Amino acid sequence: MGTRRASADDLASVGFSVLRCALATNILWIGVLKFKQYEVENDEPLVTSSPLFSRLREKLGAQKLNRLIGVTEISVGSLIAAKSLAPKASAFGSFGAVGMFLTTLSFLATTPGARQEGQGILSLSLLGQFVLKDTVLLGAALLTAAESLRAASHR
């Protein structure tokens, strides 16, 4: 029985490490891409239909807004990755990711092209499916936040 418990704990430990690394890598990579012109263009339908981001876009312009988002994502991803050095900062980064993913999930409600036209509310377009994957990333951010807070409390 002790061996099974140890194996499950070891598996969970590896799983958390993979989850944290994948979450940080995804956020960092996407953040870096925000500096590419094609990404500015890809984000345009999401940004212009969002009540919050459309105002920011009017003030900053599309390119500056994307760069601001990119810097934010690079910062959040870096903090998540820093758990072994600074677990409290890493928890802060994970909570930042939670906010990011809740924001992007709101695009399902604000972006007209998120659903297949005339197919009902549950029929997502490719854009809607792309946004929906953030539910998984939201769960990952919550788990990494909890793990970082546990590590911070043990210091």
Side-chain angles (χ1 to χ4, degrees), residues 4 25 33 38 45 56 60 70 72 86 130 154:
R4 275 194 230 144
T25 300
L33 291 177
Y38 76 86
L56 285 171
L60 300 174
T72 302
F130 170 76
H154 288 107

Side-chain angles (χ1 to χ4, degrees), residues 133-150:
K133 59 95 177 92
D134 281 5
T135 57
V136 176
L137 296 172
L138 173 63
L142 289 166
L143 287 172
T144 59
E147 185 191 37
S148 293
L149 289 172
R150 264 191 234 108

Side-chain angles (χ1 to χ4, degrees), residues 70-122:
V71 167
T72 302
E73 290 175 336
I74 291 167
S75 300
V76 165
S78 298
L79 287 170
I80 291 169
K83 181 197 150 222
S84 60
L85 300 172
K88 284 183 185 176
S90 184
F92 183 76
S94 291
F95 286 122
V98 167
M100 258 176 31
F101 296 129
L102 289 174
T103 300
T104 57
L105 285 168
S106 75
F107 295 153
L108 285 172
T110 61
T111 307
R115 291 181 197 78
Q116 291 287 354
E117 194 69 30
Q119 299 297 314
I121 195 165
L122 297 178

Side-chain angles (χ1 to χ4, degrees), residues 118-132:
Q119 299 297 314
I121 195 165
L122 297 178
S123 298
L124 296 176
S125 67
L126 287 176
L127 177 63
Q129 292 172 37
F130 170 76
V131 172
L132 185 64

